[in-house]
Amino acid sequence: MDYIRTDSNGQLTFSQSTDFLSIPSCLYGFHNTETTTAVAESGRTVVCFHGEMELPEEERICTCGCRMHKNNSPDIELRHLCIGGNLSRVIFPHLQLRCPKCNATKQQYISFKAPKHRITEELYQYTRDLLAIGTYTNKQVAEITGLGKNTVKEIDKTRLEELYTINGKLIKPERQAKYLGIDEFKLHNGRRYATHIIDLETGHILWIANGKKKQVVYDFIDHVGLDWMDGVEAVACDMNSDFQEAFEEMCPHIQPVYDYFHIVKNFNDKVVSEVRKDEQRRLYAEGNVEAAKALKRTRYILMSRRETIQAKDKDALKGRIIHKGSQLFGTENIVRKTGYEAKYDELLQQNSLLFTLDLIKEKLADAYKTIDEALMAEKVIDIMDMCQASKNSHLMWFGKLLDSHFEGIIAHATYKISSGKIEGINQKIKTLRRHGYGYPDDEYFFLKLFDMSRGSYDRNPASHRICDWAKRIEAKSGTVLEAEAIQWEQAPDGRWHEAV
């Protein structure tokens, strides 16, 4: 084919062909007799391959044994793989056969037509491959392939149903899980939520359902069976008591575990932040304006650990740039500021309650490093006593929170698991929803989440250069693997296969 570059938009345009490449078309039985071009409503060039289909003699034999005759031959148009930026169509008469003896009719079989769609099998598979990559939206795949968005969605949903459903039900877990993670995520605006349960070791989503109540856990246990649940030892969850109670009712041997993240998050949001506000209001009421102003913009300093603050000061000494400026847009580099630790120490010296918060925060971090449950229980009880002795309403609330979740907290010493992986999946869910501008079809969205959780990340993908398989070097061992390059040959029927 010859391509010319137009002056208007700089794109390659199909023109008259004088030289050809022999490329396997996979259109078995189709004979191309003429090639024309047309323009689609979108403005893209459409290459139209006109031709005829072979009709094997055995296909003309009716079930009654009589030879069928051609009754009609309307043209059929199938979308095919794109040629560069151009769309392509395969157009040929689709024969309709009729038996003169029993009046039975049937249509000519087209081996390369995709089921349920007016596209070729090659385009159908190419679309599935693009969707399986997971980085393209349906709209982008539709633009690449020339198909409609609804068609792309139907192809993707069929692909996902084949992978993750059996007889209309979700597949069973692929392996026996030892640790589970459970959390809810926002499904749509309007306070609608869904809950997902994952295998913490693989990150695979095992179950998704609407709602965030006990029934979600009950349905999951019915799905996998009690025998499978016997192999589960612990489940990482947030402070949702419904999940804990449901697992304890159905599977008492499973230990709920509350990780460091959720405890500290409650401490920072419900205690540190509120105490800072209360102290600021108290200082203003006492007329100590300077001390009250010193508490402004200190929320994140008070929430941070000393190691984090020290690391920021070290970055400042090195002149670390946290935001690169642009000469083009007239912005300057933003360099890390120093003095975080000095400011932190000043706040603790001026306010004894803030010093208590710092002490509890350090004790919490130390408790979660413990690998002995009895020792961790002592440290948590010590924190609870400090909260009660402070007589501060926010700290007393936090002490009650630790007391009500005591068993799940100290279980972290035995089961070193966290909900970090499931929180990461929550971020992926938000990204997927924003990337696709929302998914009103919940079933399709849940299946995409199943597929997303099983996708592997390849940091350094293999090159697309032609590989010399006869001298392929094994990267890990440094040995030479002897292998022969695959040779392909074309059979008389036009099919390509590996040479013997």
Side-chain angles (χ1 to χ4, degrees):
M1 295 181 182
D2 290 338
Y3 291 88
I4 60 173
R5 187 176 296 277
T6 63
D7 296 332
S8 59
N9 54 15
Q11 299 297 314
L12 296 176
T13 307
F14 180 80
S15 64
Q16 292 184 350
S17 301
T18 56
D19 297 317
F20 299 90
L21 296 175
S22 297
I23 302 175
S25 67
C26 298
L27 305 177
Y28 307 122
F30 174 75
H31 297 288
N32 182 213
T33 57
E34 183 185 7
T35 302
T36 61
T37 60
V39 179
E41 293 181 2
S42 61
R44 296 174 68 177
T45 300
V46 182
V47 182
C48 302
F49 299 102
H50 301 268
E52 296 179 349
M53 278 288 296
E54 291 181 356
L55 181 62
E57 187 62 29
E58 57 270 17
E59 192 176 344
R60 303 187 65 160
I61 305 302
C62 182
T63 54
C64 67
C66 183
R67 188 172 185 272
M68 305 182 78
H69 300 296
K70 297 178 182 179
N71 188 47
N72 199 2
S73 58
D75 283 348
I76 186 173
E77 180 179 323
L78 303 180
R79 300 190 181 192
H80 192 42
L81 293 171
C82 295
I83 304 173
N86 302 320
L87 308 176
S88 71
R89 302 286 189 272
V90 181
I91 305 172
F92 56 90
H94 190 198
L95 300 180
Q96 296 177 353
L97 305 176
R98 177 179 176 276
C99 178
K101 182 178 180 181
C102 63
N103 289 327
T105 59
K106 70 174 183 178
Q107 292 185 329
Q108 182 184 14
Y109 173 69
I110 305 173
S111 61
F112 52 83
K113 179 183 177 298
K116 301 180 181 180
H117 299 285
R118 287 291 184 98
I119 63 177
T120 64
E121 188 68 36
E122 283 293 297
L123 180 57
Y124 179 78
Q125 189 58 50
Y126 178 59
T127 305
R128 287 172 62 109
D129 293 342
L130 288 175
L131 292 165
I133 295 174
T135 57
Y136 299 104
T137 63
N138 290 357
K139 185 176 181 180
Q140 290 170 335
V141 174
E143 184 66 24
I144 293 171
T145 59
L147 300 175
K149 290 187 295 183
N150 292 335
T151 303
V152 171
K153 179 195 171 183
E154 291 176 11
I155 294 174
D156 193 26
K157 192 170 183 178
T158 301
R159 178 185 69 88
L160 296 172
E161 288 173 345
E162 292 173 359
L163 288 173
Y164 305 115
T165 64
I166 299 176
N167 298 326
K169 296 183 179 181
L170 288 175
I171 59 172
K172 302 286 185 179
E174 297 93 332
R175 60 185 293 276
Q176 174 63 55
K178 189 176 181 180
Y179 306 115
L180 299 178
I182 182 170
D183 200 7
E184 72 273 1
F185 61 93
K186 189 176 181 180
L187 187 58
H188 300 293
N189 290 331
R191 301 183 181 274
R192 287 190 57 193
Y193 290 86
T195 301
H196 55 138
I197 301 175
I198 73 166
D199 182 346
L200 282 181
E201 294 176 307
T202 63
H204 293 177
I205 294 178
L206 307 179
W207 184 256
I208 306 181
N210 284 289
K212 53 178 182 177
K213 299 298 182 181
K214 292 182 180 180
Q215 190 61 42
V216 176
V217 178
Y218 298 153
D219 293 341
F220 170 69
I221 295 175
D222 290 340
H223 173 67
V224 298
L226 291 175
D227 292 338
W228 188 88
M229 293 298 296
D230 289 340
V232 180
E233 296 182 9
V235 54
C237 53
D238 57 11
M239 317 305 283
N240 189 327
S241 60
D242 285 343
F243 297 153
Q244 176 187 355
E245 293 173 1
F247 278 110
E248 289 176 348
E249 289 174 15
M250 301 295 294
C251 304
H253 68 281
I254 296 179
Q255 176 61 57
V257 178
Y258 301 112
D259 63 353
Y260 179 70
F261 168 77
H262 286 100
I263 298 297
V264 171
K265 187 176 186 301
N266 275 280
F267 182 71
N268 284 335
D269 293 345
K270 305 292 180 61
V271 180
V272 176
S273 181
E274 296 303 320
V275 167
R276 185 186 70 88
K277 294 176 183 178
D278 289 348
E279 287 299 295
Q280 198 172 17
R281 285 192 289 265
R282 179 182 66 80
L283 291 171
Y284 272 122
E286 295 176 354
N288 195 346
V289 179
E290 293 298 325
K293 288 183 177 180
L295 287 176
K296 284 187 175 181
R297 300 181 181 179
T298 60
R299 181 171 182 263
Y300 292 104
I301 294 179
L302 294 173
M303 287 182 177
S304 301
R305 293 186 61 195
R306 185 171 292 274
E307 291 82 354
T308 304
I309 295 173
Q310 290 173 345
K312 289 182 177 180
D313 284 343
K314 288 180 181 180
D315 288 343
L317 293 175
K318 296 177 183 178
R320 180 184 174 187
I321 298 174
I322 59 177
H323 179 77
K324 190 175 181 180
S326 169
Q327 184 177 1
L328 178 63
F329 295 101
T331 57
E332 298 180 353
N333 292 337
I334 299 178
V335 183
R336 172 74 73 188
K337 296 180 180 180
T338 187
Y340 286 100
E341 189 173 15
K343 177 69 173 177
Y344 189 58
D345 291 334
E346 182 184 352
L347 291 172
L348 298 186
Q349 291 175 3
Q350 293 177 354
N351 194 302
S352 59
L353 188 56
L354 296 182
F355 180 79
T356 303
L357 296 180
D358 177 70
L359 188 59
I360 292 176
K361 185 168 53 179
E362 295 300 324
K363 283 183 173 290
L364 270 176
D366 182 57
Y368 266 91
K369 294 177 182 177
T370 309
I371 58 174
D372 179 70
E373 271 200 29
L375 183 58
M376 185 173 182
E378 293 179 4
K379 294 183 177 182
V380 174
I381 291 174
D382 185 31
I383 296 172
M384 292 162 55
D385 292 341
M386 288 182 62
C387 292
Q388 295 300 322
S390 69
K391 302 301 181 181
N392 181 273
S393 60
H394 303 298
L395 282 172
M396 293 176 68
W397 170 87
F398 184 68
K400 293 179 181 178
L401 179 72
L402 296 180
D403 187 30
S404 60
H405 297 83
F406 185 75
E407 293 295 331
I409 292 173
I410 66 173
H412 188 270
T414 303
Y415 303 101
K416 288 295 183 181
I417 59 176
S418 75
S419 57
K421 188 165 287 188
I422 198 166
E423 294 294 340
I425 291 179
N426 285 346
Q427 294 301 318
K428 282 189 173 183
I429 292 174
K430 294 177 184 177
T431 303
L432 179 65
R433 184 169 53 233
R434 287 194 298 265
H435 198 204
Y437 292 92
Y439 292 90
D441 186 347
D442 288 347
E443 181 177 313
Y444 177 50
F445 182 49
F446 289 169
L447 289 173
K448 286 191 76 69
L449 297 183
F450 264 77
D451 193 52
M452 174 269 295
S453 69
R454 286 160 175 77
S456 59
Y457 172 68
D458 193 356
R459 184 181 180 90
N460 297 305
S463 170
H464 295 295
R465 294 178 298 178
I466 297 177
C467 180
D468 186 0
W469 287 97
K471 297 180 180 179
R472 183 162 64 93
I473 305 298
E474 183 71 9
K476 294 182 180 180
S477 62
T479 59
V480 179
L481 300 180
E482 296 295 337
E484 296 181 356
I486 299 176
Q487 301 293 331
W488 298 85
E489 64 181 17
Q490 189 174 17
D493 61 357
R495 298 172 183 262
W496 288 81
H497 59 83
E498 186 177 346
V500 180

